[in-house]
Amino acid sequence: MSQSYDRGLVEDFGRWRDFSAGMWAWVFHKFTGWVLIGYLFTHIAVLSTAIPAAGGDPSIYTNTLQGLEDLLVVRFLEVGLLAVAVFHILNGIRLLFVDLGVGLTAQDKSFYASLVLTGAIVVASIPTFLVGQL
Amino acid sequence: MSTQIQEQESEQEEQQQGESVPAQQQRRMDQKRERAADEERQRERVESSLDDEDTRTLKVFRYDPEVEGKKDPRFDEFVVPFRKGMTVLDALMWARDHYDSSLTFRHSCRQAICGSDALFVNGSQRLGCKTQLADLQNPVRIEPLPHQEVVKDLVVDMQHFYDQMDAVQPYFNDDDVPDGLEEQRQTRENREKIKMSTRCIWCGACMSSCNIAAGDNEYLGPAAINKAYRFAMDDREGEAMKQERLEILEQENGVWRCQTQFSCTEVCPKDIPLTDHIQELKREAVKNNLKFW
Ligand code: HEM
Ligand code: SF4
Ligand code: FES
């Protein structure tokens, strides 16, 4: 057999430009799943240290949350979190159907539908999340 | 199209007796330069003869580890005349016959049945003989299949793929043949069920498109799992053999590696619903292990 060489981009995710719907769905699902885990831990860390039982004064919870909500970046992160969660849920439902062998020929369409629906829900949520900040 | 064009220049090495070594070297270098110039002239001749024709440009991956100066992968451009109905394979053959006879690629049947010319064309795995040039954006970029070692130009080493196909024991077991039977019948319904899975031509396009197989060389891959499906779902397969097959599929590198990216299903030139079959085998594997009754 002849020697080989490193074909670089063709051999790995460098060919992402040629990815099709299902491949993107997989990349996004991994990404959003792990972002949600990351959020879960941050969420627990923040809340568990911001309660009176953690040793602060009684108003610490309210102050912490108000302080956070006053930050524009937090409001944007909330929109981002919603986007991530909605996509993960919708694509998760899509994946459950895929596991059941239902509608496999429409897998690309259902991925696009998840994306569009996620976009719509995120846009609709913007007034709620950003009100009073912009 | 595959008939060889007559070589214009004859390349006899007339051995001159008593010539000194540097002189020989000098002569060889001269000849080499001459050949290169000849090739260039040939290329210009062919290209100018195409001036008033409808043409397409191929950008073909070239690599030859055995020839000095071709060890570094590069892309060669070939301008070929376009005719209605012309496939990527036709274009490659034309380029080989008119520009560079060292251009190497596998092909045989030219009708999508031998499985030897799966290529990476414009960023997707396709059979050269089943892909119309008319459907592709110009210039057409032709590379060997990703995730396999390149032997030369467009030829990849398929051995690992064949090994994976063999790993699922793609055959019936003798024990499954009932005694005293002249033919072993299959119902029409069962034939329909496995019909698509029998169409595989071992081209390897699916395996090459799979991100998971790329990262984990041990993963059986779509074609091998589909092959297992073809037998496991066949009514004529005996209980013991089916059990053995399911055990192969259930292991670490079997069906559970599939992440339902559908890339295999999209590239398969025989339109086999690969993901569909893998998913069904996943459910079969679960049913096989979970028994509440
Ligand atoms: C209704 C809500 C949800 C649904 C329907 C859902 C659905 C799914 C499904 C079907 C998978 C498997 C994907 C596959 O087959 O490869 C998955 C993976 C995952 N989910 Fe969710 N999920 C939900 C909520 C969450 C939440 C709240 C979190 C985090 C706290 C989360 C984190 C993850 C992670 C980390 C993975 C694995 C990603 C990977 O493959 O590495 N999910 N989800
Ligand atoms: S399943 Fe399809 S893509 Fe894969 S080897 Fe067989 S014919 Fe080729
Ligand atoms: S040449 Fe046989 S499949 Fe293309």
Side-chain angles (χ1 to χ4, degrees), chain A residues 1-7 10-13 15 18-23 26-27 30 94-95 97-102 104-105 107-108, chain B residues 61 63 65-66 73 120 122-123 125 143-151 157 208-209 211-212 259-263 266 275-276 279 283:
Chain A
M1 207 189 70
S2 64
Q3 71 200 91
S4 74
Y5 64 92
D6 182 11
R7 280 217 277 162
V10 176
E11 292 295 346
D12 54 34
F13 282 82
R15 62 195 188 97
D18 300 319
F19 277 13
S20 52
M23 293 158 116
W26 178 80
V27 172
K30 286 243 143 179
R94 169 183 169 274
L95 286 172
F97 279 111
V98 167
D99 283 338
L100 293 173
V102 178
L104 294 199
T105 46
Q107 59 88 16
D108 46 350
Chain B
F61 179 94
Y63 167 70
E66 279 157 20
F120 197 54
N122 278 2
Q125 286 78 1
E143 294 167 77
L145 288 181
H147 308 143
Q148 269 127 310
E149 283 192 11
V150 183
V151 180
D157 183 5
S208 165
S209 78
N211 275 330
I212 309 300
Q259 302 279 314
T260 66
Q261 293 188 18
F262 290 90
S263 55
E266 249 146 58
T275 314
D276 222 328
Q279 293 296 81
R283 295 194 294 276

Side-chain angles (χ1 to χ4, degrees), chain A residues 6 9 17 42 44 48 74 79 81 95 102 104 112-113 133:
Chain A
D6 182 11
L9 294 186
R17 270 192 218 85
T42 328
I44 293 171
S48 62
V74 170
V79 177
L81 177 68
L95 286 172
V102 178
L104 294 199
Y112 297 134
Q133 274 288 352

Side-chain angles (χ1 to χ4, degrees), chain B residues 122-253:
Chain B
N122 278 2
S124 162
Q125 286 78 1
R126 312 178 209 240
L127 281 187
C129 61
K130 194 173 173 276
T131 307
Q132 290 287 319
L133 269 190
D135 294 341
L136 297 170
Q137 273 209 319
N138 203 35
V140 179
R141 196 180 155 95
I142 307 175
E143 294 167 77
L145 288 181
H147 308 143
Q148 269 127 310
E149 283 192 11
V150 183
V151 180
K152 183 183 172 190
D153 292 348
L154 300 174
V155 178
V156 293
D157 183 5
M158 300 277 284
Q159 195 52 49
H160 179 64
F161 174 75
Y162 297 148
D163 289 345
Q164 299 298 66
M165 292 298 260
D166 291 341
V168 297
Q169 308 181 1
Y171 37 77
F172 285 119
N173 189 333
D174 271 357
D175 303 345
D176 298 341
V177 182
D179 280 338
L181 199 71
E182 275 174 9
E183 51 184 331
Q184 194 181 9
R185 296 224 177 83
Q186 181 182 28
T187 62
R188 277 171 192 280
E189 293 71 33
N190 191 238
R191 169 64 206 168
E192 274 306 305
K193 183 174 177 60
I194 61 157
K195 185 173 84 184
M196 294 306 278
S197 66
T198 62
R199 296 177 48 167
C200 178
I201 56 173
W202 298 49
C203 69
C206 51
M207 184 82 142
S208 165
S209 78
C210 177
N211 275 330
I212 309 300
D216 168 15
N217 216 20
E218 293 309 307
Y219 173 42
L220 285 173
I225 296 177
N226 174 70
K227 194 46 94 180
Y229 178 99
R230 182 252 170 277
F231 289 98
M233 294 298 166
D234 193 311
D235 283 345
R236 295 168 295 181
E237 172 140 292
E239 231 1 91
M241 190 64 183
K242 179 165 180 179
Q243 197 56 39
E244 194 178 323
R245 216 182 285 288
L246 280 177
E247 271 156 29
I248 297 171
L249 294 174
E250 278 164 24
Q251 337 139 6
E252 192 189 340
N253 293 307

Side-chain angles (χ1 to χ4, degrees), chain A residues 14-62:
Chain A
R15 62 195 188 97
W16 58 271
R17 270 192 218 85
D18 300 319
F19 277 13
S20 52
M23 293 158 116
W24 282 118
W26 178 80
V27 172
F28 290 168
H29 201 85
K30 286 243 143 179
F31 176 75
T32 53
W34 289 105
V35 167
L36 286 173
I37 295 277
Y39 172 71
L40 183 64
F41 280 101
T42 328
H43 187 62
I44 293 171
V46 170
L47 292 194
S48 62
T49 50
I51 48 175
D57 67 274
S59 60
I60 181 170
Y61 182 79
T62 315

Side-chain angles (χ1 to χ4, degrees), chain B residues 7-30:
Chain B
E7 272 305 325
Q8 266 104 342
E9 64 264 63
S10 59
E11 291 181 24
Q12 322 120 327
E13 294 267 319
E14 69 271 17
Q15 192 60 48
Q16 270 138 331
Q17 288 294 325
E19 200 179 16
S20 69
V21 175
Q24 277 181 4
Q25 170 75 3
Q26 182 58 36
R27 191 164 51 82
R28 271 198 298 272
M29 295 300 283
D30 285 347

Side-chain angles (χ1 to χ4, degrees), chain B residues 36-92:
Chain B
D38 266 353
E39 268 170 31
E40 194 49 43
R41 274 195 293 278
Q42 162 80 356
R43 162 182 288 274
E44 274 162 19
R45 226 179 359 253
V46 177
E47 281 185 5
S48 62
S49 76
L50 296 174
D51 271 353
D52 359 287
E53 287 199 57
D54 189 7
T55 60
R56 294 288 183 278
T57 305
L58 310 181
K59 289 186 151 190
V60 185
F61 179 94
R62 304 300 302 275
Y63 167 70
D64 187 350
E66 279 157 20
V67 174
E68 201 58 56
K70 292 189 177 175
K71 285 185 175 145
D72 287 328
R74 64 179 199 282
F75 278 89
D76 276 357
E77 280 198 14
F78 300 112
V79 179
V80 300
F82 175 73
R83 287 185 202 91
K84 192 158 176 269
M86 197 172 190
T87 64
V88 170
L89 181 63
D90 293 334
L92 278 174

